[in-house]
Amino acid sequence: MRTEDLIHFCAPGRLIIGNGSRHQLPQLLARLGYRSGVLVTDAFFAEKTPWVKEYTEAAERLGISTIVYAGGLPDPTTGLCDEATAVLRDQLAGKQPDHVIALGGGSNIDLAKALTLTLPQGRPIAEFAGDIGGCRPLPLIALPTTSGTGSEATPGAILLDPANATKIAVMDNALRPQIALIDPEFTYTCPPRVTADAGIDAFTHAIESFLTLDSALFERAGNPDPGYSGRSPLTMLFARESMRLCFAWMERAYQQGDDTEARVGMAYASIYAALSYGTAGLNAGHGIAYAVAGQTHKSHGSTNAVMLPYVLDALCETRQSELAEIAQMMGLATACPEESARRVPVAVRAMIERLDIPSDLKAFGIEEGTLDDLIADALAVTRLAKAFPVADATLAYRQIVLNAWDGHLSGQP
């Protein structure tokens, strides 16, 4: 406990975790009184797995009708959301659904979150960017099929605006799912690349939120119901357990996809990380990764991964005791806290390399001449820069990016 903490913790209304738990969803929704829903997924899950048909048939037997939208895509755009809104409202023919279900990775869940706002009145999603203006979204049920994004526990939907090639955030605690159902069986057939990218995303969420700005210092702009509000002992509790699980199971899940124990371990790691960062928020790791993605169009997990060691290295002074604690988890601790802290970024980079992800910006495909633009784009995500616990975020971002391009870490032998 810290007496100065200002905890504002929000989570899904119901959290269900367990192998095969998806089969209880129709009965739960019937018990809660739901009768008409929209299921948002993509073509792969609709056509290549039995999950959509199993759910809709079981729900129908209990008097719950479901319209399936299988047009989900990676990095959904505002245009896709508006198109889906029109298609679904036409199919609904004036009938108002009483819930939306998301099946898939973070992209499908983000699209479903946006649709909970647009379906009732057909308004374009751009009208909800930033503050949703007190609107009441349709209840959302999230079924993640990867162990990484954590969107099933967070207050925001991230969509790409094709007009200016930037991502917009639609943010409010009302967008947190009413039910987050974590069935590790959904992840058993994830290919290795998706497993690695999702796993390192979960780990980044955990460690970044563990080290982020304290709740007592977090800027809330007078909002009585902030989506993100800084770290506290409560969020750090979830982050610790997530990191412990990642160290135990992430590489094993990548190397041995049929290892169900590793898959279950990473399912827990992902939701625990989400329960941490979904309140504490994130900072420079994601802020700079967004800029890297803008130049390379590579996966979110890999853009997080390439930046993470260098962001950690920049925190070796202001977060020395926390990094020394992580070193203890990794079996790296020495009698000197400073030395222990500096070992962590080096070990994390080695872990990333074992996941076959490039570990410096040069190898990742970033041109040296674009570094200034990359830094400027990263700093433009001000909510993440403000949450970075250093004296001068602008200076720190520049040094992080330069170190990441050179592959330089202070704790290197």
Side-chain angles (χ1 to χ4, degrees), residues 332-350:
L332 303 170
T334 70
C336 174
E338 181 182 359
E339 182 183 351
S340 297
R342 294 198 182 278
R343 287 184 171 193
V344 172
V346 177
V348 167
R349 183 169 66 181

Side-chain angles (χ1 to χ4, degrees), residues 25-344:
L25 183 62
Q27 293 91 335
L28 176 58
L29 296 188
R31 177 183 174 86
L32 295 174
Y34 293 121
R35 291 293 178 264
S36 174
V38 170
L39 191 155
V40 179
T41 189
D42 56 47
F44 175 82
F45 293 116
E47 298 169 8
K48 304 296 184 182
T49 77
W51 302 328
V52 173
K53 185 178 180 182
E54 285 175 354
Y55 169 77
T56 55
E57 290 182 350
E60 188 68 35
R61 289 193 291 270
L62 295 173
I64 303 172
S65 62
T66 310
I67 292 176
V68 176
Y69 178 80
L73 296 170
D75 295 321
T77 65
T78 53
L80 174 64
C81 179
D82 293 343
E83 176 186 316
T85 301
V87 169
L88 286 167
R89 281 175 60 84
D90 184 61
Q91 290 181 269
L92 288 162
K95 185 177 181 181
Q96 190 72 252
D98 56 26
H99 66 284
V100 175
I101 299 173
L103 172 68
S107 293
N108 287 353
I109 298 174
D110 279 0
L111 176 60
K113 283 181 178 178
L115 288 169
T116 65
L117 290 167
T118 61
L119 282 176
Q121 297 177 11
R123 294 167 58 188
I125 190 59
E127 292 186 10
F128 299 96
D131 188 345
I132 68 172
C135 291
R136 187 180 295 275
L138 296 170
L140 176 67
I141 296 93
L143 285 69
T145 57
T146 62
S147 296
T149 72
S151 188
E152 68 276 6
T154 63
I158 307 298
L159 302 173
L160 182 67
D161 183 354
N164 53 20
T166 60
K167 291 187 176 182
I168 67 165
V170 181
M171 192 79 62
D172 196 278
N173 283 321
L175 291 174
R176 293 182 195 265
Q178 293 300 304
I179 301 171
L181 190 150
I182 317 298
D183 188 338
E185 290 180 3
F186 282 139
T187 71
Y188 284 4
T189 56
C190 265
R193 187 71 273 135
V194 174
T195 299
D197 282 1
I200 202 66
D201 194 20
F203 177 69
T204 303
H205 292 152
I207 197 167
E208 208 172 331
S209 62
F210 188 71
L211 303 172
T212 201
L213 199 64
D214 289 331
S215 63
L217 301 174
F218 200 91
E219 183 179 309
R220 305 186 187 198
N223 187 348
D225 188 29
Y228 297 112
S229 53
R231 71 172 187 171
S232 70
L234 180 59
T235 65
M236 295 172 77
L237 180 151
F238 286 113
R240 281 189 189 92
E241 182 63 5
S242 177
M243 288 186 284
R244 187 188 70 79
L245 290 167
C246 286
F247 294 140
W249 303 116
M250 181 166 58
E251 292 180 57
R252 193 158 139 186
Y254 173 57
Q255 295 162 357
Q256 304 172 43
D258 59 352
D259 187 328
T260 57
E261 190 176 14
R263 292 292 192 181
V264 172
M266 285 308 299
Y268 275 89
S270 177
I271 186 61
Y272 289 159
L275 290 171
S276 176
Y277 97 88
T279 287
L282 301 166
N283 50 65
H286 273 67
I288 303 174
Y290 289 150
V292 173
Q295 289 194 14
T296 64
H297 306 290
K298 293 184 179 179
S299 72
H300 179 63
S302 65
T303 53
N304 278 336
V306 73
M307 294 311 308
L308 182 58
Y310 309 97
V311 171
L312 298 179
D313 203 43
L315 295 174
C316 281
E317 292 184 13
T318 60
R319 291 290 185 259
Q320 183 182 107
S321 62
E322 291 89 341
L323 285 164
E325 182 182 346
I326 295 167
Q328 186 75 42
M329 290 186 211
M330 300 180 79
L332 303 170
T334 70
C336 174
E338 181 182 359
E339 182 183 351
S340 297
R342 294 198 182 278
R343 287 184 171 193
V344 172

